[in-house]
């Protein structure tokens, strides 16, 4: 574990970098700015290391970030429709940060905060952030803790513990963009993706779920058997057109509330493989359709179209406006406690 | 609270009756045989009391019971397909008590047991039962507690607390047959039923869910707006034909893990109303299609066709064989803890 000053925010708050190196020489970097997972350096099949996270390597870059690279997103990741949320008959309007129409990522409240930190040991850092009652329109105070651990088995473990003092929706996630070839290796369309989901949630033109639960069968959304991300991405499918590619919630199988594998990604070029686990019912699979090269990332490489993919563990988006979805409503007796694991290997 | 000897089982175990009377004179009766809810006497709109539970009023009747009237059902209520269950790759065959084809109600293990009891106060009794590892083929020991409370607001509260020592499926429920006109008032087809469910799970010819989640819209299964149970029951609908009427799992809205209203039933004749609450994702709505008058119940009235309806709170049936359903798999760190409330009023 090494800790060093990374930079300062516009209002002068100190941002620190935390690097955890394991016994094999693999390492991750964390920032208390946005409780960010900023780097994952793991070996390919020849033992050569590369950083598989697309993002930024300077404080200036972090401050220019608009697409949530590596950040902890909350209080409610993904979209909430413009009508806000209604709890016990009372409507709460949530900040509409997208064209004044709807909410994305809770207006980035968590991502732009400098979190408190606590080094828990050689392999683990806990970040904490207090979100006040009323922030972005959400009811109830909410104390958040996100703990990152990097194991000798090249597992990145993320533990969320978010405790409100009254009813409020919570859907905290990590928004890392992965490229198993390394951040500078081009687009991710040749990665092989497997997602254990028989259903997904189609969305409207604002990328908000319509409420339908649709079978993936005979659609480009069938990743039950591994296939290249790019294989069907250009199909003339209405949902792919709306999302400009994959940007959809998948309904993960075997939801019990316990951790289980939900996806496997393999890069045939490097041999790197990522196996993914969550205890939540859904995941947003996004492939950087809105990345256009206009932002400059690590090593001064531009963040080009589809140069990273995301697997954001979650409750289905906008669930409080879709009563048939599992409801991500929590309270003082029922905290949001969740685990995500990304495990890296090579073959 | 009064306790009295009710009778003895064939092997000589003593069965006790527990009667809880509230300040309004309404009362319920419980039995430690099958942890049975045996009687609910509540007033109609004129203040006249009637027992709204269809069942038995003698020990002999209880021993003749084949349709689970009032019983606590477990370890897994409803059906499990003939292939049993598979946990961590290991298959467990479960006793197939229906024509050697599949399992119903865990072969009635819980229903035919004499439970331990503890009187918790004037308004509450706790029953407990230990189900051993291997019983009916299920893995892991399972300690069960079911607590019934009857409040001065005419609420019957059922609290389940079932703690295994390893992985096992649990779906414990209560199988009461209600008739808001009183047990001797004929069939329940004129009761008005409202169920807050936009989807239900169609089933195959063994009454086991196919895995499909189907919209209730434009089907006889749409109870979102109250309607008489009998209104559409004779529709030439494939699912009604398979069930010989309603005998289906409904996917209840607003699932958060917290208690919420899921159904309302009203008998226009007597004015009695029952409002139902659960924290589980589903309910089995059954209307006594298999009752044929051959069994003799309370007051020596025969248990005639559709003389009672059931609202059995549950995880969707056979979930472990349908990975897209929420999985009712529990373990030593994750007990089955659930509440059901049936609240009675009149108007």
């Amino acid at each position: 574990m090494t800790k060093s000053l990374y930079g300062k925010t516009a209002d002068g708050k100190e941002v620190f970098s935390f690097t955890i190196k394991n016994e094999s020489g693999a390492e991750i970097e964390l920032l208390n700015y946005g409780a960010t997972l900023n780097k994952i350096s793991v070996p390919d099949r020849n033992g050569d290391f590369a950083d598989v996270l697309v993002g930024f390597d300077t404080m200036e870059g972090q401050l220019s970030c608009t697409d949530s690279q590596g950040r902890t997103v909350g209080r409610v990741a993904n979209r909430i429709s413009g009508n806000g949320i209604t709890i016990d008959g009372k409507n709460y309007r949530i900040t509409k940060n997208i064209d004044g129409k709807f909410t994305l990522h809770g207006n980035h409240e968590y991502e732009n905060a400098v979190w408190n930190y606590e080094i828990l040991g050689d392999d683990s850092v806990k970040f904490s952030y207090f979100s006040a009652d009323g922030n972005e329109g959400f009811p109830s105070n909410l104390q958040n803790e996100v703990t990152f651990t990097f194991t000798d088995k090249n597992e990145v473990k993320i533990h969320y513990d978010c405790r409100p003092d009254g009813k409020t929706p919570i859907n905290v996630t990590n928004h890392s963009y992965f490229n198993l070839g390394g951040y500078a290796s081009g687009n991710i369309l040749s990665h092989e993706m497997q997602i254990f989901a028989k259903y997904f949630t189609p969305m409207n033109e604002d990328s908000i779920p319509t409420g339908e639960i649709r079978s993936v069968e005979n659609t480009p959304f069938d990743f039950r058997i591994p296939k290249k991300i790019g294989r069907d991405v250009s199909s003339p499918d209405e949902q792919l057109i709306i999302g400009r590619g994959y940007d959809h919630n998948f309904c993960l199988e075997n939801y019990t509330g316990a951790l289980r594998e939900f996806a496997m990604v393999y890069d045939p070029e490097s041999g790197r493989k990522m196996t993914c686990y969550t205890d939540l019912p859904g995941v947003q699979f996004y492939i950087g359709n809105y990345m256009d090269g206009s932002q400059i990332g690590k090593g001064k490489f531009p963040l080009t179209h589809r140069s990273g993919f995301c697997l954001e563990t979650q409750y289905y988006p906008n669930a409080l406006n879709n009563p048939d979805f599992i409801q991500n409503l929590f309270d003082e007796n029922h905290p949001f406690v969740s685990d995500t694991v990304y495990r890296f290997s090579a073959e």
Side-chain angles (χ1 to χ4, degrees), chain A:
Chain A
M1 169 77 62
T2 59
K3 174 190 158 198
S4 59
L5 186 66
Y6 189 79
K8 291 188 179 182
T9 61
D11 56 351
K13 286 185 185 148
E14 288 187 324
V15 173
F16 292 96
S17 157
F18 304 82
T19 298
I20 303 172
K21 195 170 209 155
N22 70 16
E23 63 183 17
S24 74
E27 66 179 36
I28 70 169
E29 181 188 46
L30 306 166
L31 305 178
N32 62 327
Y33 182 63
T36 296
L37 179 56
N38 202 48
K39 179 182 181 180
I40 302 176
S41 176
V42 286
D44 66 8
R45 69 163 71 84
N46 301 316
D48 293 331
F49 287 83
D51 177 3
V52 299
L53 281 192
V54 178
F56 303 91
D57 55 5
T58 64
M59 190 66 220
E60 189 187 357
Q62 300 295 344
L63 294 172
S64 75
C65 168
T66 56
D67 296 335
S68 311
Q69 275 86 356
R71 302 287 165 85
T72 295
V73 181
R75 137 179 352 191
V76 176
N78 214 297
R79 289 157 185 80
I80 293 176
S81 48
N83 55 313
I85 56 168
T86 299
I87 299 175
D88 295 337
K90 184 168 175 193
N91 181 254
Y92 299 87
R93 294 283 154 165
I94 312 300
T95 307
K96 297 185 228 179
N97 59 321
I98 302 295
D99 303 332
K101 287 182 72 182
F102 60 86
T103 308
L104 177 65
H105 294 331
N107 196 25
H108 308 288
E109 176 192 353
Y110 286 28
E111 303 165 55
N112 297 327
V114 176
W115 293 52
N116 295 317
Y117 61 87
E118 184 182 351
I119 295 173
L120 298 183
D122 275 351
D123 63 352
S124 189
V125 181
K126 180 169 81 179
F127 297 105
S128 56
Y129 170 69
F130 177 78
S131 173
D133 183 359
N135 277 10
E136 308 304 339
F138 291 108
S140 302
N141 292 303
L142 179 54
Q143 178 62 37
N144 303 276
E145 293 184 352
V146 182
T147 304
F148 293 89
T149 304
F150 188 51
T151 75
D152 285 333
K153 293 177 178 166
N154 290 348
E155 297 160 313
V156 178
K157 295 186 171 181
I158 310 176
H159 177 68
Y160 301 97
D161 187 309
C162 307
R163 296 181 183 264
D165 66 357
K167 288 188 182 177
T168 195
I170 307 176
N171 214 359
V172 179
T173 193
N174 181 275
H175 207 309
S176 286
Y177 288 68
F178 300 95
N179 186 324
L180 298 183
Y183 65 78
S185 66
N187 74 48
I188 45 68
L189 297 180
S190 63
H191 282 44
E192 291 167 9
M193 174 67 68
Q194 182 173 31
I195 305 177
F196 300 110
K198 197 166 133 190
Y199 296 92
F200 77 109
T201 52
M203 57 196 197
N204 67 19
E205 296 194 346
D206 290 335
S207 297
I208 298 173
T210 60
E212 183 187 347
I213 308 264
R214 186 182 293 175
S215 172
V216 299
E217 206 157 334
N218 300 317
T219 78
F221 294 86
D222 193 346
F223 285 93
R224 289 175 296 175
I225 293 167
K227 68 175 180 187
K228 287 193 190 301
I229 292 174
R231 196 189 82 176
D232 300 326
V233 74
S234 300
S235 302
D237 177 279
E238 172 223 17
Q239 283 297 313
L240 286 176
I241 292 165
I242 287 177
R244 302 195 193 180
Y246 297 107
D247 185 11
H248 290 76
N249 173 65
F250 286 70
C251 307
L252 300 175
E253 290 189 348
N254 287 316
Y255 174 60
T256 67
L259 203 66
R260 83 288 197 202
E261 185 179 337
F262 72 88
M264 192 281 297
V265 200
Y266 179 65
D267 171 32
E269 188 85 9
S270 67
R272 286 194 194 86
K273 187 173 161 180
M274 179 169 86
T275 313
C276 308
Y277 304 80
T278 182
D279 47 21
L280 294 183
V283 70
Q284 190 80 8
F285 173 45
Y286 174 57
I287 60 168
N289 305 305
Y290 287 86
M291 300 170 88
D292 61 5
S294 64
Q295 287 207 302
I296 303 303
K298 293 177 178 176
K300 301 198 174 153
F301 280 90
L303 301 180
T304 53
H305 193 226
R306 296 174 174 166
S307 55
F309 66 88
C310 305
L311 287 167
E312 306 154 57
T313 58
Q314 63 186 2
Y315 287 87
Y316 305 172
N318 203 30
L320 265 66
N321 290 305
N322 283 297
D324 297 299
F325 292 175
I326 298 172
Q327 300 289 292
N328 58 318
L329 185 65
F330 298 86
D331 62 35
E332 63 276 28
N333 299 314
H334 180 211
F336 175 93
V337 179
S338 176
D339 290 283
T340 299
V341 178
Y342 300 113
R343 183 167 60 84
F344 296 89
S345 55
E347 59 192 41

